[in-house]
Amino acid sequence: MSEEYVLQLQHIRKEYPGVVALKDVTLELKKGEILALIGENGAGKSTLMKILSGAYQRDSGQIFIDGREVKITNPKESKDLGVAIIYQEFMLAPDLTVAENIFIDKLSAGKATINWKKLRADAREQLEKLGFSDINPNAKCGSLSVAYQQVVEICKCLTRDAKILVFDEPTAVLTFSEIEKLFEVIHKLKDQGVSVIYISHRLEEIFQLSEHITVLKDGTYVDTVETSGF
């Protein structure tokens, strides 16, 4: 497959008893691209992304990352390949600090003790990269606004070396100013070479943010178009 693409989902099919959720669906994502994935409820967007995340298994089709075919049979394999999905329900521990949540997978770095000073410094560095130096690494995640919790979730994904980030209806509970901040973060991620799949029903966001749009309908692939000419 082409090395031009960081991700290619080719001819993906997923069938349940009596229901074909995905029929021959294709999606292609370039490095540093923001791709919108749209379609009404039931179009197959979530099923396709859950196959990418390893939560569901495809019945047929191929997945290529950086031009190499990969097998994704569980969420760990997906994470190890650099894929991260940010759902509306964040995977954060509210009673742990921002720093602890960001580095929850590697708190002790394989050692018997935790270097708290380095942990907080590394968390602050991650937050500053996204333009959120005002978030205190010592703050409990449960005390943060929804928008700031979303930033922590993004930072956590980046510390896992995520190169493909999927945002699933990320603005559903954000205010207008918080949405603008999120868009700034996504553009910074793009500038850092991260590729983004953005799922939303809000078409004004799609046209403002994306470079290409992939359309699904009733579990089938319809088309991929350039946003600027659509």
Side-chain angles (χ1 to χ4, degrees):
M1 286 288 104
S2 172
E3 293 184 4
E4 176 185 4
Y5 297 100
V6 67
L7 171 69
Q8 291 172 286
L9 302 173
Q10 297 284 349
H11 310 297
I12 301 296
R13 181 179 179 88
K14 179 64 178 177
E15 190 170 352
Y16 301 101
V19 178
V20 179
L22 296 173
K23 316 165 200 171
D24 195 28
V25 171
T26 290
L27 179 146
E28 296 181 321
L29 178 68
K30 295 179 181 178
K31 182 176 181 179
E33 179 186 21
I34 302 172
L35 172 72
L37 179 61
I38 67 171
E40 64 185 354
N41 291 333
K45 306 183 301 297
S46 294
T47 301
L48 187 64
M49 292 302 100
K50 285 179 179 177
I51 288 172
L52 177 61
S53 76
Y56 292 173
Q57 303 304 306
R58 64 193 183 279
D59 294 325
S60 61
Q62 296 170 291
I63 300 175
F64 296 84
I65 291 181
D66 291 329
R68 179 175 63 91
E69 185 173 5
V70 298
K71 305 295 183 185
I72 301 177
T73 61
N74 58 62
K76 183 182 184 304
E77 289 179 352
S78 180
K79 289 176 185 177
D80 290 344
L81 288 166
V83 178
I85 300 185
I86 298 176
Y87 298 102
Q88 293 181 40
E89 298 287 334
F90 304 133
M91 304 296 288
L92 299 174
D95 292 327
L96 295 183
T97 68
V98 168
E100 289 165 343
N101 270 282
I102 289 175
F103 292 103
I104 197 162
D105 289 345
K106 37 191 167 184
L107 280 177
S108 63
K111 300 175 183 177
T113 59
I114 298 173
N115 187 336
W116 292 107
K117 184 176 181 180
K118 185 177 188 306
L119 188 79
R120 288 189 285 267
D122 289 348
R124 190 177 299 281
E125 181 182 353
Q126 288 291 331
L127 293 164
E128 287 175 352
K129 281 182 182 177
L130 294 183
F132 286 86
S133 56
D134 55 329
I135 297 180
N136 184 354
N138 293 319
K140 296 283 183 70
C141 265
S143 70
L144 301 179
S145 68
V146 173
Y148 276 12
Q149 288 184 36
Q150 195 170 60
V151 171
V152 174
E153 185 84 352
I154 294 169
C155 284
K156 184 174 73 173
C157 294
L158 295 179
T159 62
R160 295 170 172 167
D161 298 321
K163 57 187 175 185
I164 299 167
L165 269 183
V166 180
F167 289 86
D168 189 1
E169 299 285 352
T171 62
V173 291
L174 300 184
T175 65
F176 177 77
S177 61
E178 289 171 340
I179 291 171
E180 291 297 312
K181 268 288 195 183
L182 173 64
F183 285 4
E184 289 176 17
V185 169
I186 291 176
H187 280 297
K188 284 182 180 178
L189 293 172
K190 169 184 164 61
D191 292 341
Q192 294 170 16
V194 177
S195 303
V196 173
I197 298 174
Y198 189 89
I199 301 172
S200 179
H201 289 290
R202 298 178 175 179
L203 294 183
E204 68 277 7
E205 294 178 6
I206 296 301
F207 286 112
Q208 181 180 344
L209 192 64
S210 70
E211 295 157 86
H212 289 88
I213 302 171
T214 291
V215 184
L216 300 184
K217 182 179 181 181
D218 297 332
T220 61
Y221 171 80
V222 177
D223 201 1
T224 296
V225 296
E226 190 172 345
T227 307
S228 61
F230 190 52

